[in-house]
Amino acid sequence: MPQTIISSKTKEIIIGPDQPFVIIGERINPTNRKLLAEEMKAGNLERVQQDAMSQVNAGAQILDVNAGVPLADEPKILADSIKLIQSVSDVPLCIDSSIVEALKCGLEAYQGKALLNSVTGEEERLETVLPLVKQFGCAVIGISNDDSGISEDINVRFEVAKKIVERAMDHGIPKEDVLIDPLVMPIGAINDAGKQVLELIKKLQNELQVNTTCGASNLSFGLPNRHGLNTAFIAMAIANGMPCAITNPLEKVIMQSVRGANVVMGHDPECSDWIMNYREPREKRSRRKRRS
Amino acid sequence: MPQTIISSKTKEIIIGPDQPFVIIGERINPTNRKLLAEEMKAGNLERVQQDAMSQVNAGAQILDVNAGVPLADEPKILADSIKLIQSVSDVPLCIDSSIVEALKCGLEAYQGKALLNSVTGEEERLETVLPLVKQFGCAVIGISNDDSGISEDINVRFEVAKKIVERAMDHGIPKEDVLIDPLVMPIGAINDAGKQVLELIKKLQNELQVNTTCGASNLSFGLPNRHGLNTAFIAMAIANGMPCAITNPLEKVIMQSVRGANVVMGHDPECSDWIMNYREPREKRSRRKRRS
């Protein structure tokens, strides 16, 4: 079973199908968060710090940090956010940008072994991001699209993933440091999207021996009761061997589904995490007893 | 892919891994329902009728009917319950008893192709129940324990399942009319119970080519927030190919998990069932729009 290790200066997180599921908190991202975007641009990172703490308290083991504010100095904001979070927390980080220069600044600011988000199968991206991964000895998320776009055929997406992993190894990056994002498509548009991605997760694990991750909430795009659908999907993805996902730990139903799936997979010894989180308060228990 | 067909006089339900998941409603069962037990014993079946309708309205496609009241005339109560339900509903039924005479009376009263609950791998049970299954042309749930009890080793439970299926075929019962219950053990006592049963579901489907079913809520026995754990498990069981389960359709989170899993498996074309059940009322939608 592949094991990917991500760390801060003092804390190590192991990602793998035989480990408890790892939540990568998605909240520190100005996309669709107008207020956060304005504050980040103005150099006010108070909310970044709050979002870091609240996500860790809710159960995130890694935090994604994205500073993609249009027309702002993204590399500096990203580096400053990373330094700030690392000054108040030991949580390992996932450095997230579409701009290679920002990724580099983020890596320079970071203490530990980061997760880099992301490389794709696009030639230019491969040849600019992978040297950084090698230089800084970090891990990287490889997204299974390439210069021809995103294929609806999972065999094509598997081949793209294979190319990314092989290219990483050419650059001297160990295979276990590449996590593949098989790409979750909106099921409201593509009816087979769920079943296909579950198959692809399993195929990537069995045939390519790599860990997988995904943005779990993409699946429900455009549908009502998105959290309800996401919770079912995330448990099913875990049943198929997915060891981590980028999602929102503040959503209680998501965390419940992840914790439940950990119990079912045997990754919560004696169900102690489950019991700690969901034990009824003593008062409620005795009220219920009296009623029955 | 195996397909098991269960029917009433006018309605057919297909059970199979490439079909939408089938909920077998578990409520009509006097075990741990003191009031229902007393009423059944006194011949008052009003609550049986109510429970039938409420479960069908909540989404059950088959109803389990159990009349196991101690010191009562179980065969008669079971037959009367079946006749009553069939007089007000076209839902196919699962005839449930540990007493062979009651199963027989139930089958005599039933119109259509019933599901019989259950046979085990115990010699005496095999040789008394299977002839009934053959005689009435019904389907049967085979529970994977035998004269030596319930094994914690899934390979032993697989062999018991195999014995049940082979014996059924010896009696002239088609393989697709045997649904195997792999036995869900309480995970609070056996930490590997979840992972093992998921593996066994898959193995039964792939190697024995039979459909599976289970009492999904056994898993969470003794733990807090049982529904939370059951919802994760049921989605994971569906991801592994389980096509039906005996559970409580009145639990909204269970139904949400099943509907979500149907969407993910591609068994809800255009997500129309999901959208119908979870579309926000127009008023709430526009309120939300105004806020954002």
Side-chain angles (χ1 to χ4, degrees):
Chain A
M1 296 259 191
Q3 286 204 335
T4 310
I5 295 173
I6 309 296
S7 64
S8 64
K9 208 172 154 188
T10 54
K11 192 170 192 172
E12 206 172 81
I13 300 291
I14 304 175
I15 297 171
D18 56 353
Q19 300 289 324
F21 193 74
V22 171
I23 294 279
I24 304 170
E26 72 181 6
R27 293 287 294 158
I28 304 175
N29 189 328
T31 316
N32 296 325
R33 294 187 69 189
K34 208 177 154 190
L35 206 56
L36 178 64
E38 281 168 9
E39 290 171 353
M40 276 181 147
K41 195 168 176 179
N44 172 4
L45 300 179
E46 238 171 83
R47 196 178 302 270
V48 168
Q49 182 174 335
Q50 284 163 13
D51 283 350
M53 300 319 290
S54 62
Q55 290 183 98
V56 169
N57 290 337
Q61 294 101 321
I62 295 177
L63 298 181
D64 189 88
V65 185
N66 181 306
V69 184
L71 306 176
D73 186 356
E74 185 177 335
K76 180 178 183 320
I77 302 171
L78 186 58
D80 288 349
S81 297
I82 288 167
K83 283 182 202 155
L84 175 64
I85 297 167
Q86 291 211 298
S87 73
V88 295
S89 163
D90 63 355
V91 63
L93 301 180
C94 175
I95 301 173
D96 181 4
S97 179
S98 55
I99 297 170
V100 177
E101 182 55 28
L103 293 177
K104 185 159 185 276
C105 281
L107 284 167
E108 281 165 351
Y110 186 74
Q111 296 188 294
K113 181 182 172 189
L115 180 58
L116 207 62
N117 187 5
S118 58
V119 70
T120 65
E122 294 161 297
E123 271 307 318
E124 200 221 321
R125 192 89 185 162
L126 284 167
E127 291 308 320
T128 48
V129 174
L130 292 180
L132 280 183
V133 175
K134 174 62 185 169
Q135 182 190 341
F136 287 88
C138 63
V140 66
I141 296 173
I143 303 186
S144 49
N145 66 300
D146 65 6
D147 297 286
S148 61
I150 300 175
S151 173
E152 279 191 35
D153 180 343
I154 60 163
N155 293 312
V156 173
R157 300 215 304 270
F158 179 84
E159 288 305 319
V160 174
K162 197 163 167 235
K163 179 172 83 172
I164 295 171
V165 171
E166 285 169 354
R167 194 69 65 86
M169 290 169 79
D170 288 347
H171 280 267
I173 298 160
K175 193 193 227 183
E176 61 267 25
D177 281 342
V178 184
L179 271 86
I180 294 294
D181 181 342
L183 279 167
V184 177
M185 314 289 276
I187 205 160
I190 303 169
N191 202 61
D192 280 340
K195 198 166 179 169
Q196 286 201 335
V197 84
L198 291 181
E199 273 175 41
L200 187 46
I201 288 167
K202 184 146 276 195
K203 192 174 156 81
L204 286 162
Q205 187 190 310
N206 292 345
E207 295 178 28
L208 205 54
Q209 283 96 41
V210 289
N211 279 321
T212 49
T213 187
C214 72
S217 54
N218 291 355
L219 188 89
S220 60
F221 183 80
L223 291 173
N225 188 9
R226 292 188 65 175
H227 295 316
L229 188 50
N230 295 344
T231 53
F233 172 65
I234 211 160
M236 295 166 90
I238 294 172
N240 275 270
M242 179 169 279
C244 65
I246 300 177
T247 189
N248 185 355
L250 304 181
E251 292 299 340
K252 289 188 176 153
V253 290
I254 298 280
M255 289 308 295
Q256 177 178 284
S257 190
V258 166
R259 291 194 185 108
N262 278 338
V263 171
V264 175
M265 297 301 279
H267 297 157
D268 181 4
E270 294 173 0
C271 310
S272 56
D273 184 60
W274 183 266
I275 292 169
M276 194 185 70
N277 278 286
Y278 301 112
R279 186 166 36 200
E280 287 180 25
R282 187 184 297 265
E283 198 202 329
K284 197 173 161 198
R285 256 201 319 258
S286 51
R287 257 210 317 274
R288 194 158 56 104
K289 252 193 181 148
R290 279 200 300 275
R291 266 208 314 273
S292 67
Chain B
M1 295 259 192
Q3 285 203 335
T4 309
I5 295 173
I6 309 295
S7 65
S8 65
K9 206 172 157 190
T10 54
K11 192 169 193 174
E12 206 173 80
I13 299 292
I14 304 175
I15 297 170
D18 56 352
Q19 300 289 325
F21 193 76
V22 172
I23 295 279
I24 305 170
E26 72 181 7
R27 292 288 293 158
I28 303 174
N29 190 327
T31 316
N32 296 326
R33 293 186 69 188
K34 207 177 155 191
L35 207 57
L36 177 63
E38 281 168 8
E39 290 170 355
M40 276 182 146
K41 194 168 176 178
N44 172 3
L45 300 180
E46 238 171 83
R47 197 179 301 270
V48 168
Q49 181 172 336
Q50 284 162 13
D51 283 350
M53 300 320 289
S54 62
Q55 289 184 96
V56 169
N57 290 338
Q61 294 103 320
I62 295 176
L63 297 181
D64 189 88
V65 185
N66 180 305
V69 184
L71 306 175
D73 186 356
E74 185 177 335
K76 179 178 185 320
I77 302 171
L78 185 59
D80 288 349
S81 297
I82 287 168
K83 283 182 202 155
L84 174 65
I85 298 168
Q86 291 211 300
S87 74
V88 294
S89 164
D90 63 354
V91 63
L93 301 180
C94 175
I95 301 173
D96 181 4
S97 179
S98 54
I99 296 169
V100 177
E101 182 56 27
L103 293 177
K104 185 159 185 276
C105 281
L107 285 166
E108 281 165 351
Y110 186 74
Q111 295 189 295
K113 180 183 173 188
L115 179 59
L116 207 61
N117 189 4
S118 57
V119 70
T120 65
E122 294 161 296
E123 270 309 317
E124 199 222 322
R125 191 89 185 163
L126 283 167
E127 291 310 320
T128 49
V129 174
L130 292 179
L132 279 183
V133 175
K134 174 63 184 168
Q135 181 189 341
F136 287 89
C138 63
V140 66
I141 296 174
I143 303 185
S144 47
N145 66 300
D146 66 6
D147 296 285
S148 61
I150 300 174
S151 173
E152 278 191 36
D153 180 342
I154 60 164
N155 293 311
V156 173
R157 291 198 335 250
F158 179 84
E159 288 306 319
V160 174
K162 198 163 166 233
K163 178 173 85 174
I164 296 171
V165 171
E166 285 170 356
R167 193 70 64 86
M169 291 169 79
D170 289 346
H171 280 267
I173 299 160
K175 192 194 227 184
E176 61 268 24
D177 281 342
V178 184
L179 271 87
I180 295 294
D181 181 341
L183 280 167
V184 177
M185 313 288 276
I187 204 160
I190 303 170
N191 202 60
D192 280 342
K195 197 164 183 177
Q196 287 200 336
V197 83
L198 292 180
E199 273 175 41
L200 187 47
I201 289 167
K202 183 146 278 192
K203 191 173 158 81
L204 286 162
Q205 187 189 311
N206 291 346
E207 296 178 29
L208 205 55
Q209 282 99 41
V210 290
N211 280 320
T212 50
T213 187
C214 73
S217 53
N218 290 355
L219 189 87
S220 59
F221 182 80
L223 290 174
N225 188 9
R226 293 189 64 175
H227 295 316
L229 188 50
N230 295 344
T231 54
F233 172 66
I234 211 161
M236 296 165 90
I238 294 172
N240 275 269
M242 179 170 278
C244 64
I246 300 178
T247 188
N248 185 355
L250 304 181
E251 292 298 340
K252 287 185 178 157
V253 291
I254 297 280
M255 289 308 294
Q256 177 177 284
S257 191
V258 166
R259 291 192 184 109
N262 278 337
V263 171
V264 175
M265 297 302 279
H267 297 158
D268 181 5
E270 293 173 1
C271 309
S272 56
D273 183 61
W274 183 266
I275 292 170
M276 195 184 71
N277 278 287
Y278 301 111
R279 187 165 37 199
E280 288 180 22
R282 189 183 295 265
E283 198 202 332
K284 196 173 161 198
R285 260 203 315 261
S286 51
R287 255 209 321 272
R288 196 160 54 105
K289 253 192 181 150
R290 280 200 301 274
R291 264 208 316 271
S292 68

